[in-house]
Amino acid sequence: MMKTNWDRILHGGDYNPDQWIKTKEIWDEDMRMMRLAHINSATVGIFSWSMLEPEEGVYHFDWLDEIMDKLYQNGVSVVLSTPSGARPAWLAQKYPQVLRVGENGVRNEFGIRHNHCLTSPVYREKVRNINRRLAERYHKHPALQLWHVSNEYCGECHCALCQQAFRDWLRKEYGSLDTLNDAWWNGFWSHQITDWSQIHSPKERGEPLVTALRLSWKRFVSDSHLSFFQNEIAPLREWTPEIPVTTNFMKMYDGIDYNKFERYVDIVSWDNYPEWGTGDTAQVAAETAFVHDAFRSMRGGQPFLMMESTPSSINWRDVNKLPQPGMQELSAMQAIAHGSDSVQYFQWRKSRGSHEKYHGAVVDHCGHEHTRVFQEVAHTGAVLERLSAVAGVGYKSRVAVLYDWENDWAIKAFCGFNNQKRDYFGECVKWYKPFYKRGVSVDVVSMEDDFEGYDLIAAPVLYMLKPGTEEKIAAYVRNGGVFVGTYLTGMVDRNDLCFLGGVPAGVLKEVFGVWHEDTDALPADRPGQAVFNGKTYAVRDLCDLIHATDAQVLGAYTQDFYAGTPALTMHHYGQGQAVYAAFCGDDVFADDVCAMLMQQHGIDPDTRIESGDVCVRKRGDYIFVLNFTEKTQHVRLDKTYTDVLTQQHCCGDILLEPCCYRILTAP
Ligand code: GAL
């Protein structure tokens, strides 16, 4: 039986003992300090290929044997990594085809990481081979709990092999050149293709503008990562069918359709690097919460793993501010509250040299445990040991925000209206926040997910519709759902072909009871205005000019030649309701609309705790109260709770300082 939860919260992270192989006394220090820090999981071998196979066909596993045994003896389980993220120099030198070719047609030299061709049969074979050897050797090792496949799959290759693979992929996708020419609207600028070999990946010095080509390339690259992954895991499945596999995702990284990829991993995991300490911390917390919710929702509410996070600062932004004391622990608790079964760091011990030597780590160059960061991590570990009851507990919400990778690609690709300001992720977070900040849990779903069971779905800027989406939305609303759409809803199909006959597409005109005739773009220094419920709102970046054919007009523009026309509408359709928010507003606009809908439809917070600006999130029996604001906050408890960490009862008003949290259970 495959086990994807471990009856405890995993606490650990990237561990690179191979960097310290010549000072093995450090390994023993690591074991001692891991016990102090309540570490129970170590991710090993991510970039170890050249240590494992220093020459072609020559394998050195003894160091890994030793470290696996040591970890096991110290109560630390292993997340064992496959090393394909970075290859040995000998491999690149002997088989140059494994290296990536850039958009400019030039093959990269050996260096960095994530620098491999996704198609190269040689690389795939070499990866399968080293993975097989790892699986063969460790399949019975008692420390092995999970496979970490490669590292943060990303990027693309433009070599001749990839061009050919792209053409083969297109042939399967479209069947004939005639269909492709129609779908890509190739009559434009004399772009008719008469032979598959005329097609190339999109690039500046070639064809960067045909949006359907760009979307196809995105899909192809995403699928290439997936087939690369399937090649990687074949030997793991063969030798360790009971050990789950994952690969670490990155936020809403737009190079891979994670909604599709997640179906092939046994547990979803992601690397979390919020930009604490710069700008608005509460906003960063909301964005991070959204991403956690997206990864939890992918598996119908099942827990995910936070595979990496920094225990301190990072080193790769322009200015790498140290997070405030307590922020690491607060951020860890946020992950748990939103469904993570782990808190893991990059990395355990700071590298001594090279590129990441100043990246935060649990153990600093000073080498001992008497540092603020180490003590904070150790404290977090001790807290997590008291939270093992939440491990494995998932949850679903009554409200969802629709975020879809392919829609993101389509929004980024088109040319028109406002080419400066288009922020799909930002818009999704904007419509997520009104629920999140009131303590209403939210799922993040894609167009393919089941809509049933949600009382309300907000689908900001649902510009592209996959086949069947209009009918799916119509059925959802007809059956009683509340659906919130915004400007640019239902404009194009999956090939970025505009829908004819008026938008939003097809039956959506009936669902919303509106017809969208035009779109205006607003320069940043000349916002427009709209009024709803007697309150004036700024209209920013983009706004649709719509006709309310059947809908009730709730708000109207007050400026420009379209003053007096609808800016916000609501329509009863079947048993449900569809709201059209025709413009991009500030947060307050989304907040007021959602507050109205929550009230009308009885969408209540998950608890009755009055928390103001403090976030409250319930997971199983545990209520997490998290203060991401920069002020001390009052929280009013509606009844007596038990504080999980102190085991004290608490009631009435509690004070929560910045970066502080409470975990409560109801008696
Ligand atoms: C991650 C990566 C790690 C490490 C870390 C530094 O994206 O997976 O290997 O480089 O960034 O923040």
Side-chain angles (χ1 to χ4, degrees), residues 3 9 26 57 182 184 235 285 295 320 330 361 397 424 428 432 441 452 461 469 568 590 605 612:
K3 231 173 118 202
I9 302 288
I26 284 194
D182 288 349
W184 290 12
F295 288 122
N320 297 289
L330 182 66
S397 312
Y424 179 48
C428 288
Y432 165 88
S441 67
E452 295 308 308
V461 206
T469 306
L568 175 70

Side-chain angles (χ1 to χ4, degrees), residues 522-530 537-541 559 562 584 586:
L522 298 121
D525 57 350
R526 291 182 55 198
Q529 253 183 20
Y537 299 89
V539 173
R540 301 198 188 274
D541 310 330
Q559 289 183 349
Y562 41 89
C584 174
D586 294 328

Side-chain angles (χ1 to χ4, degrees), residues 286-493:
E287 288 171 11
T288 308
F290 177 91
V291 184
H292 283 312
D293 284 340
F295 288 122
R296 189 195 66 253
S297 308
M298 280 181 177
R299 282 301 164 89
Q302 287 309 301
F304 59 91
L305 298 176
M306 181 165 77
M307 192 55 88
E308 292 179 24
S309 62
T310 180
S312 173
S313 64
I314 49 166
N315 72 333
W316 41 266
R317 291 199 172 101
D318 286 349
V319 178
N320 297 289
K321 176 130 184 64
L322 282 173
Q324 292 299 298
M327 185 48 99
Q328 177 279 124
E329 187 164 326
L330 182 66
S331 179
M333 295 309 145
Q334 181 191 38
I336 302 298
H338 286 265
S340 178
D341 268 0
S342 70
V343 171
Q344 311 211 87
Y345 310 105
F346 176 86
Q347 59 176 332
W348 165 252
R349 182 181 281 275
K350 260 186 197 174
S351 307
R352 182 161 185 203
S354 206
H355 181 64
E356 290 185 328
K357 60 181 174 296
Y358 296 127
H359 192 291
V362 181
V363 181
D364 186 73
H365 291 142
C366 69
H368 56 66
E369 65 269 32
H370 308 293
T371 62
R372 179 181 59 81
V373 170
F374 187 94
Q375 293 304 324
E376 286 188 14
V377 167
H379 187 264
T380 304
V383 169
L384 294 176
E385 281 173 359
R386 311 188 70 158
L387 297 181
S388 39
V390 296
V393 175
Y395 59 92
K396 286 211 34 126
S397 312
R398 289 173 61 196
V399 169
V401 170
L402 197 157
Y403 180 95
D404 195 284
W405 263 260
E406 293 204 32
N407 188 45
D408 180 41
W409 297 341
I411 290 172
K412 285 177 177 152
F414 76 79
C415 182
F417 313 126
N418 191 332
N419 290 319
Q420 266 177 355
K421 197 73 199 301
R422 239 178 258 167
D423 180 9
Y424 179 48
F425 175 70
E427 284 298 276
C428 288
V429 173
K430 193 186 282 174
W431 288 90
Y432 165 88
K433 271 168 44 178
F435 304 99
Y436 154 82
K437 72 178 216 194
R438 288 177 175 80
V440 176
S441 67
V442 184
D443 288 354
V444 178
V445 297
S446 76
M447 271 183 255
E448 271 108 343
D449 285 323
D450 211 350
F451 291 174
E452 295 308 308
Y454 292 113
D455 294 346
L456 184 149
I457 299 177
V461 206
L462 191 57
Y463 166 75
M464 183 198 80
L465 299 176
K466 294 180 189 168
T469 306
E470 297 117 85
E471 291 75 21
K472 191 167 165 181
I473 295 170
Y476 169 73
V477 180
R478 215 180 289 122
N479 293 331
V482 179
F483 193 84
V484 182
T486 71
Y487 58 97
L488 298 191
T489 292
M491 302 280 284
V492 298
D493 70 9

Side-chain angles (χ1 to χ4, degrees), residues 5-13 38-41 77 79 145-146 305-307 336 340-344 384 391:
N5 61 66
W6 293 274
D7 313 322
R8 65 181 193 282
I9 302 288
L10 303 189
H11 185 228
H38 303 266
I39 297 294
N40 60 31
S41 175
S77 299
V79 178
Q145 61 178 346
L146 174 68
L305 298 176
M306 181 165 77
M307 192 55 88
I336 302 298
S340 178
D341 268 0
S342 70
V343 171
Q344 311 211 87
L384 294 176

